[in-house]
Amino acid sequence: MKGFKEEIENNIIPYWMDKMVDTEHGGFYGRIDGDNVLDRMANKGVVMHARILWTFAASYRVLGHSTYRQIAERAYLYLRDYFMDKEYGGVFWELDFRGRPVNRKKQTYAQGFALYAFSEYYRATGCTEALDYAKKQFYQIERCKDDELGGYWEAFTEDWQPIADMRLSEKDENEAKTMNTHLHILEPYTNLLRVWIDADLVKAHTDLISLFLERIYSKATGHLQLFFDAKWQVKGQMQSFGHDIEAAWLLLEAAKVLGDLDLEEKVKTVIPHIAHAALEGILPDGSLAYERNNAHWDRDRHWWVQAEAVLGFSYLGKLLNDKLYQEKAEGIWAYIQSNLIDSEEGEWYWSRLENGEVNRAEDKAGFWKCPYHNGRMCLEMIENFGIK
């Protein structure tokens, strides 16, 4: 079976270094389609650029190759110089291929990923300017908080006013608060705590973990609830198996880094239920289905879902000393190698369709298809499990 170090060093990282660096206009190209055709004039998304920065910074920190630092620096400078809003603060959502803003909205989710990227770049390089930007992002996100009922509002206009369309993407519900945004605030706050112990950050992180346990996690089903109105009323019945298992390990990591032993014990009592709920999505071939909405199943095998499942089930297997979860992780890693890794062109396919065909309608690299989920899976397995 292929090793995680071999996968990230010989497949994932080279794809982005060799095919996605925009030497003419800076940063990285916005898109390579599912047929591996580069679109040099595709718009550039902040989420993709932040995830590239996180991935190359983390890869440099864990694996030590100087070329990874060079690419991380390229991503850092582009994120800093083009996506940061120097007038109103935070990061723009989208630029054209030349680097000019075309969508200036402030999605809270994107602010989180910018923080995640800046904090990891500081961890990897010691660049104090990056830490300053991470702190600024933290304070900006805290201004997105619902001071009355807790949690964070989904999106704003350029100058941080209410916005009618708050959706993260076209497939999402237009609701005031979402699990997905809160999960990707939890993640960067955890990373920032590794390098900056601050009372406001500790309180915000404590509140956020508690929010997952008290409002987002469903005691009735074990799943995470996805969409909420302003008053935290649940909207819809969709269940996302990938987010369930991703949240299981991110919550565990968050509680450990926070260092609140009582809260960590509460998390440890909940995440086995979340992981068990995620097991409902395991398909006969060992992969994990995308999502379920009432009786309707989406059995596409998305790349990010499989990557997070390898990590999440590995963490649960270690936490609970349970071979079942470890076997699930190993089975999904075997599925990835046989079905999602593109051994000819590099990187991973977006997904396999329910009928087993490669999904070429979605990007190989693009606005949402980045090296972060699969790259992080490899780095976590190397760094925290010692599996190369």
Side-chain angles (χ1 to χ4, degrees):
M1 185 178 286
K2 193 175 187 180
F4 296 103
K5 189 170 185 287
E6 178 186 357
E7 172 59 18
I8 192 169
E9 289 187 334
N10 297 340
N11 183 38
I12 298 171
I13 289 288
Y15 186 91
W16 292 84
M17 291 177 62
D18 298 342
K19 299 185 178 184
M20 287 296 286
V21 174
D22 185 346
T23 56
E24 182 177 0
H25 298 291
F28 301 84
Y29 293 117
R31 182 173 183 247
I32 292 178
D33 70 16
D35 293 314
N36 291 290
V37 177
L38 174 65
D39 181 354
R40 295 176 181 271
M41 294 188 289
N43 287 350
K44 298 178 177 183
V46 66
V47 172
M48 186 188 81
H49 276 72
R51 287 174 169 180
I52 290 171
L53 172 52
W54 183 92
T55 301
F56 277 90
S59 296
Y60 172 66
R61 181 178 57 78
V62 175
L63 302 172
H65 300 310
S66 60
T67 52
Y68 299 170
R69 177 170 181 159
Q70 293 168 14
I71 298 296
E73 182 180 19
R74 178 186 191 84
Y76 169 70
L77 294 174
Y78 196 84
L79 187 65
R80 182 195 71 182
D81 295 343
Y82 288 88
F83 280 105
M84 293 294 293
D85 184 344
K86 296 173 180 60
E87 182 175 1
Y88 295 111
V91 291
F92 299 123
W93 182 247
E94 185 176 8
L95 313 176
D96 69 11
F97 72 97
R98 290 188 174 92
R100 299 173 299 197
V102 293
N103 189 338
R104 295 172 175 266
K105 73 172 180 176
K106 302 296 169 57
Q107 204 80 28
T108 307
Y109 177 101
Q111 311 311 315
F113 269 103
L115 195 166
Y116 197 35
F118 287 138
S119 60
E120 187 63 24
Y121 188 67
Y122 173 74
R123 288 184 74 198
T125 68
C127 173
T128 55
E129 181 189 66
L131 180 58
D132 289 340
Y133 278 115
K135 293 176 183 179
K136 287 179 181 178
Q137 285 299 110
F138 165 70
Y139 289 122
Q140 186 61 68
I141 292 169
E142 285 304 291
R143 286 193 283 270
C144 302
K145 185 176 282 187
D146 178 354
D147 293 327
E148 182 182 356
L149 297 178
Y152 299 84
W153 303 112
E154 189 70 7
F156 302 86
T157 63
E158 173 187 7
D159 58 349
W160 301 98
Q161 299 303 307
I163 190 171
D165 188 350
M166 296 176 284
R167 294 176 300 169
L168 189 61
S169 69
E170 291 183 359
K171 73 173 289 295
D172 288 305
E173 300 295 326
N174 189 26
E175 297 295 346
K177 298 169 183 175
T178 71
M179 175 282 303
N180 200 9
T181 288
H182 285 80
L183 186 64
H184 295 295
I185 297 172
L186 180 82
E187 171 183 67
Y189 280 15
T190 298
N191 214 40
L192 187 56
L193 264 176
R194 291 187 170 109
V195 295
W196 182 50
I197 304 300
D198 173 82
D200 290 338
L201 176 58
V202 169
K203 183 181 186 308
H205 206 35
T206 302
D207 291 345
L208 188 50
I209 295 171
S210 299
L211 190 72
F212 268 90
L213 302 183
E214 295 164 10
R215 291 197 183 272
I216 297 176
Y217 163 67
S218 169
K219 294 179 181 178
T221 68
H223 293 285
L224 301 183
Q225 300 165 117
L226 303 188
F227 300 103
F228 306 85
D229 67 13
K231 296 183 178 180
W232 285 105
Q233 297 300 305
V234 178
K235 309 295 286 187
Q237 298 299 319
M238 186 175 292
Q239 296 164 345
S240 173
F241 303 112
H243 283 116
D244 285 338
I245 195 60
E246 182 182 16
W249 79 266
L250 285 177
L251 279 166
L252 179 62
E253 179 188 51
K256 286 185 174 180
V257 172
L258 183 63
D260 183 328
L261 296 181
D262 291 337
L263 190 56
E264 184 177 343
E265 285 306 309
K266 290 180 181 178
V267 168
K268 286 180 177 179
T269 63
V270 166
I271 60 174
H273 298 289
I274 301 176
H276 185 75
L279 286 176
E280 295 170 13
I282 294 288
L283 298 172
D285 59 10
S287 64
L288 190 63
Y290 182 46
E291 61 189 19
R292 177 176 61 200
N293 191 358
N294 292 316
H296 176 72
W297 281 73
D298 182 338
R299 292 184 175 86
D300 280 11
R301 287 81 159 174
H302 288 230
W303 97 98
W304 73 267
V305 173
Q306 313 315 313
E308 294 299 337
V310 170
L311 259 187
F313 288 133
S314 294
Y315 267 99
L316 266 292
K318 183 177 180 180
L319 174 68
L320 303 174
N321 193 25
D322 190 331
K323 290 184 178 179
L324 170 67
Y325 288 114
Q326 190 57 46
E327 289 170 357
K328 297 302 181 186
E330 292 170 357
I332 293 169
W333 179 223
Y335 176 87
I336 289 169
Q337 293 179 77
S338 300
N339 294 277
L340 287 177
I341 294 175
D342 185 346
S343 57
E344 295 183 6
E345 296 287 343
E347 247 288 347
W348 296 13
Y349 304 118
W350 180 284
S351 69
R352 288 274 180 171
L353 303 174
E354 184 172 358
N355 64 10
E357 293 180 3
V358 172
N359 180 1
R360 297 190 183 278
E362 303 289 349
D363 294 341
K364 178 66 80 66
F367 210 90
W368 293 107
K369 182 68 162 56
C370 318
Y372 141 83
H373 286 288
N374 50 2
R376 183 171 67 177
M377 176 201 74
C378 293
L379 294 171
E380 285 282 333
M381 296 304 291
I382 294 167
E383 184 177 22
N384 294 322
F385 291 88
I387 302 174
K388 296 184 179 181

